[in-house]
Amino acid sequence: MVKIIDGKKISSDTLDAVALEVEQLKAKGVEPCLAVIIVGDDPASRVYVNNKKRSCERVGIKSLEFALPATTTQDELIELIDKLNADPTVNGILCQLPVPKHIDETAVLCRISPEKDVDAFHPQNVGHIMIGDFTLLPCTPAGVMTMLHHENIDISGKNCVVIGRSNIVGKPMAMLLLKENATVTVCHSKTQNLAEITRQADILVVAIGRAKFVTADMVKEGAVVIDVGMDRDENGKLCGDVDFEQVSEKAGSITPVPGGVGPMTIATLMQNTLTAAKAQNKIL
Ligand code: NAP
């Protein structure tokens, strides 16, 4: 019988643990604070930002929102980031992506001080992940690792296949699995004989952005299947990159969409903000 990995429950436990530590930190006179910047009025970004604010409230982290008009120039945005970098009461800064087309996303992400970079997108933090010595981790892959640990899934020596090589999910995911001694294969749109490779996976992580792309014939019997995708099916209903109905007949454990990786991403953001606040205040 397949085990459904309950991301809502694991994220709720993670948030409870963060809330407890935030309380202890406040008793020492430190109030963790996350600044969220949103440029323009993309409705999906608005939903993400609201969810982040709600999670901050839940764990007792102070949140500041900077909602800037779509006409904001890159210089104006950089000026705000510089101000937040210099503000000792702000521990974490994130700029909700995507930013409007006239703004250079890389320039913005590189401007956020690495110590306050709670999305861990700054090249310095990316480098830390590469050498396996990190403080802040990108939220989605780190959330996946929390799930695997929570479920006591053996990683060391296992064949792990990651489909997707984006900077925010696929690549760091591969690095985190490698750090825990998995044998990792990264696949992408140019990979040949994809199903042959995915059928070797003890742990299959899928992050491509194509609804129900992974079918049962691509999965090994009893495999752990982690679905990062957030897509819409033919009826406009939220679904993942994995055909859940089919694949759950074959997998040993699987994450659902919704209620799988999604909630873990935001819980990890709260963990990162707490970690940043502790590091900046030299509290171990
Ligand atoms: P992305 O930047 O668009 O990257 C997609 C990756 O999938 C690319 O590496 C691409 O290969 C690969 N790919 C596309 N079609 C493929 C195919 N037919 N066969 C094999 N590989 C293929 O996407 P992303 O930002 O990583 O996001 C991936 C999915 O995760 C999306 O659905 C996104 O919404 C979701 N997501 C969810 C969360 C969460 O919190 N749950 C967070 C982030 C993202 P190439 O490099 O060759 O183009």
Side-chain angles (χ1 to χ4, degrees):
M1 197 33 195
V2 69
K3 165 95 203 289
I4 311 290
I5 304 176
D6 185 349
K8 268 196 200 157
K9 167 81 174 79
I10 305 170
S11 78
S12 174
D13 291 352
T14 306
L15 290 172
D16 286 347
V18 171
L20 195 68
E21 272 205 69
V22 167
E23 212 177 289
Q24 290 163 354
L25 212 54
K26 283 182 178 170
K28 291 179 183 158
V30 176
E31 184 183 27
C33 172
L34 172 66
V36 179
I37 306 171
I38 174 169
V39 188
D41 40 25
D42 177 53
S45 293
R46 174 39 67 196
V47 171
Y48 293 136
V49 167
N50 287 349
N51 287 344
K52 287 167 187 175
K53 275 165 66 178
R54 249 199 309 278
S55 293
C56 282
E57 271 163 37
R58 163 152 185 206
V59 300
I61 288 176
K62 181 177 172 185
S63 70
L64 303 175
E65 181 186 309
F66 297 87
L68 308 179
T71 51
T72 303
T73 64
Q74 183 164 318
D75 285 350
E76 286 166 337
L77 180 54
I78 296 277
E79 200 182 313
L80 171 62
I81 292 172
D82 285 348
K83 215 172 88 194
L84 295 171
N85 281 340
D87 184 342
T89 67
V90 172
N91 307 112
I93 304 170
L94 77 80
C95 183
Q96 186 65 47
L97 301 178
V99 286
K101 286 196 169 49
H102 64 275
I103 296 176
D104 176 0
E105 184 180 296
T106 307
V108 169
L109 297 180
C110 290
R111 195 71 174 208
I112 295 172
S113 156
E115 299 77 46
K116 297 189 179 188
D117 171 36
V118 283
D119 268 335
F121 293 161
H122 190 289
Q124 194 171 309
N125 286 323
V126 174
H128 280 297
I129 294 161
M130 192 78 188
I131 58 171
D133 173 22
F134 38 72
T135 309
L136 298 171
L137 284 174
C139 298
T140 301
V144 170
M145 295 309 286
T146 304
M147 286 179 127
L148 296 174
H149 295 151
H150 183 274
E151 297 297 305
N152 291 318
I153 290 166
D154 276 341
I155 299 170
S156 182
K158 299 293 173 189
N159 273 337
C160 293
V161 175
V162 179
I163 321 183
R165 56 172 165 180
S166 70
N167 289 335
I168 63 170
V169 188
K171 282 183 201 160
M173 187 73 248
M175 284 300 138
L176 295 185
L177 290 166
L178 189 60
K179 178 160 180 14
E180 299 206 11
N181 302 315
T183 302
V184 185
T185 307
V186 182
C187 301
H188 45 79
S189 68
K190 307 287 186 293
T191 297
Q192 291 179 7
N193 306 321
L194 180 66
E196 250 171 56
I197 299 169
T198 57
R199 274 197 294 271
Q200 306 298 315
D202 300 307
I203 301 174
L204 177 62
V205 182
V206 191
I208 50 185
R210 297 184 63 170
K212 302 183 185 178
F213 179 86
V214 171
T215 45
D217 59 303
M218 297 171 73
V219 175
K220 174 172 160 177
E221 191 85 43
V224 176
V225 180
I226 306 288
D227 189 353
V228 179
M230 289 220 288
D231 315 305
R232 298 275 164 192
D233 69 11
E234 57 284 4
N235 303 312
K237 208 172 137 230
L238 186 64
C239 71
D241 289 344
V242 174
D243 186 331
F244 183 84
E245 246 173 67
Q246 268 194 27
V247 173
S248 54
E249 300 275 313
K250 203 167 178 193
S253 36
I254 187 167
T255 60
V257 178
V261 175
M264 294 307 301
T265 297
I266 210 150
T268 310
L269 175 67
M270 297 300 111
Q271 273 182 326
N272 273 352
T273 307
L274 172 66
T275 302
K278 283 164 59 180
Q280 285 156 37
N281 287 282
K282 313 224 171 335
I283 295 168
L284 294 176

